Amino acid sequence: MFKNRVAKVREVLKKKKLDCLLITSLPNLRYLSGFSGSSGALLINRDDGYFLADSRYYSQARKETKGFIIREYRKIIEGIAELSRAAGMKRMGFEAGDLTYKDYQKLQELLAKVKLLPFSKELDSLRAVKDRDEINSIKNAARIAAQCFLELKDTIQPGSRERNLAIELEYKLKKGGSGELPFDIIVASGPRGALPHGVASEKKIRNGEMVVIDYGSRYKGYFSDETCTLLMGIPTRKQKNIYQIVKAAHDKAIDFIRPGKRASQIDKVAREYIRQAGYSRGFGHALGHGVGLAIHEEPLISPDSSTLIEEGMVFTIEPGIYLEGWGGVRIEDMIVVTRDGCKVLTQVSKEMECCSPPVLKG
Ligand code: ZN
Ligand code: ZN
């Protein structure tokens, strides 16, 4: 598996007339070598591949990676320079989105005769299409997330504090087998739901409010991402109406997905539906994003993304309507593109659901 991926990287090297490629981002290190630690570098040239680790990660790199010559260095940038000098490299590709300006300067100083060239898109598109093992890991992450969320949901009631629910869910996820979470869990109730990324606060949830909960989990390095919007008590007509608009936009986008469509066309299906319902100003963010070893990766599903959709891509569909002072609704599922459509990977039902028994009057 890693061998195939490295072979694909070598094809790109040849095409771009590079002598070697320097990989420093954690998702790409993991994707190409299996290394799951939090620091290291890969130097892939046309014939060999080196994994550079410092003393903290040397034995882990030996255990986790295969097919690379492992070298221990105290300072990785110096190590990279030493290796490329020894191999007579002239053109080195580096990850423009990851190497810091400081490290870039240092590297250029040590390798005055080497041309450093930014390189990133090719690896992003390789990672966008998932194989069966990757899809299984994502499914497992989604399964853990669903189990924990459903357990939490039964405990939510008027008076629950957003932050306590987020902490409780994080605890359940970790205990349920999740690795490091992709982001701080969002619990945004009532008017706070208008903040698309409203991290849980000390606010107490009140009867009659909507609650946006966005959470993810991680399994064997792969993330899941899902959002549910719950209703506390009996919904008002406006709440029901907005929920149904977002849900229909979500369903229409999912029905539309198949290989050969452009990402922007998928975005348009949902955005256009929301616009026609009169809420175009309430939906500002992209419709979705790829998920894998990173929580946000290719393909981006946005109005200006011309990416062609391929079988095996995994991404979210997450339309929302956010109205300042009122609140918000977001519905997010993850899908995998199949030969003739797509399959939803996240497991919690997104039908409108009322969370707690209505308060009886009189
Ligand atoms: Zn999310
Ligand atoms: Zn998302």
Side-chain angles (χ1 to χ4, degrees):
M1 172 174 75
F2 297 119
K3 231 171 149 181
N4 281 345
R5 294 174 184 172
V6 173
K8 282 186 183 153
V9 168
R10 290 215 167 92
E11 280 168 31
V12 182
L13 277 183
K14 282 183 196 151
K15 229 182 356 201
K16 301 199 93 182
K17 299 194 169 60
L18 296 169
D19 296 317
C20 63
L21 180 62
L22 171 63
I23 302 288
T24 47
S25 73
L26 299 180
N28 282 339
L29 284 179
R30 189 151 188 173
Y31 185 71
L32 294 170
S33 76
F35 177 71
S36 70
S38 57
S39 170
L42 262 181
L43 196 66
I44 299 174
N45 61 31
R46 299 217 185 172
D47 310 303
D48 304 313
Y50 293 89
F51 193 98
L52 293 87
D54 63 30
S55 59
R56 295 169 302 166
Y57 291 109
Y58 181 71
S59 41
Q60 187 177 348
R62 285 188 61 125
K63 215 156 88 192
E64 290 180 337
T65 72
K66 268 195 194 90
F68 294 98
I69 304 161
I70 298 159
R71 293 277 170 85
E72 186 181 327
Y73 285 95
R74 210 162 57 82
K75 288 181 174 169
I76 284 187
I77 294 293
E78 267 90 347
I80 293 161
E82 196 183 307
L83 273 173
S84 16
R85 259 198 309 263
M89 299 291 150
K90 290 199 173 61
R91 288 165 60 84
M92 180 192 286
F94 70 93
E95 288 182 272
D98 189 74
L99 194 70
T100 63
Y101 185 62
K102 201 170 136 211
D103 284 345
Y104 169 84
Q105 272 187 319
K106 180 88 194 149
L107 202 56
Q108 191 66 87
E109 197 183 296
L110 294 169
L111 295 171
K113 287 187 187 143
V114 176
K115 198 156 185 167
L116 297 176
L117 298 147
F119 174 110
S120 65
K121 270 214 284 293
E122 292 80 0
L123 262 171
D124 293 344
S125 4
L126 263 184
R127 269 188 27 217
V129 177
K130 270 74 178 171
D131 64 26
R132 200 184 315 166
D133 280 348
E134 294 182 286
I135 294 168
N136 275 334
S137 295
I138 294 170
K139 270 188 193 162
N140 273 312
R143 178 183 50 78
I144 294 169
Q147 277 170 356
C148 299
F149 175 78
L150 292 174
E151 270 177 38
L152 179 88
K153 201 183 72 173
D154 290 340
T155 70
I156 304 176
Q157 49 190 331
S160 304
R161 256 183 229 282
E162 292 177 355
R163 221 172 85 81
N164 291 351
L165 293 174
I167 292 167
E168 194 56 44
L169 182 53
E170 178 164 352
Y171 175 73
K172 285 183 193 301
L173 287 164
K174 294 262 173 83
K175 210 173 158 200
S178 171
E180 179 201 352
L181 302 190
F183 48 81
D184 282 340
I185 293 167
I186 291 170
V187 181
S189 61
R192 292 193 74 254
L195 308 164
H197 275 185
V199 167
S201 75
E202 294 296 338
K203 181 184 173 303
K204 281 184 184 167
I205 294 170
R206 290 169 36 185
N207 199 37
E209 285 183 337
M210 295 178 109
V211 189
V212 179
I213 306 181
D214 191 344
Y215 54 99
S217 136
R218 193 175 205 196
Y219 185 82
K220 288 192 179 167
Y222 286 82
F223 289 116
S224 78
D225 187 7
E226 181 169 19
T227 307
C228 295
T229 300
L230 305 173
L231 287 145
M232 305 302 295
I234 302 167
T236 64
R237 190 186 291 188
K238 185 172 180 181
Q239 286 173 330
K240 243 193 210 161
N241 182 32
I242 289 184
Y243 191 97
Q244 273 152 1
I245 294 165
V246 176
K247 176 68 166 56
H250 159 277
D251 293 353
K252 282 176 194 297
I254 288 178
D255 284 345
F256 181 78
I257 297 167
R258 68 180 58 93
K261 297 286 183 197
R262 293 216 179 264
S264 56
Q265 290 178 295
I266 301 170
D267 181 280
K268 194 174 175 189
V269 170
R271 200 167 302 278
E272 197 49 29
Y273 185 82
I274 290 175
R275 190 185 68 80
Q276 278 174 13
Y279 289 103
S280 61
R281 291 217 313 177
F283 178 32
H285 57 74
L287 180 65
H289 54 89
V291 181
L293 289 169
I295 186 66
H296 292 116
E297 56 180 48
E298 286 297 318
L300 182 65
I301 311 297
S302 73
D304 45 12
S305 165
S306 59
T307 306
L308 267 181
I309 298 306
E310 291 175 52
E311 182 178 354
M313 283 181 167
V314 171
F315 52 87
T316 68
I317 291 294
E318 48 180 307
I321 292 178
Y322 312 94
L323 303 177
E324 217 188 311
W326 180 80
V329 173
R330 177 165 67 255
I331 299 173
E332 175 178 29
D333 273 316
M334 282 171 79
I335 63 93
V336 56
V337 182
T338 58
R339 206 152 50 103
D340 52 5
C342 76
K343 236 169 53 197
V344 176
L345 298 173
T346 28
Q347 297 181 358
V348 178
S349 158
K350 301 301 183 299
E351 293 304 324
M352 187 160 58
E353 217 179 312
C354 305
C355 211
S356 66
V359 178
L360 295 174
K361 280 187 185 147

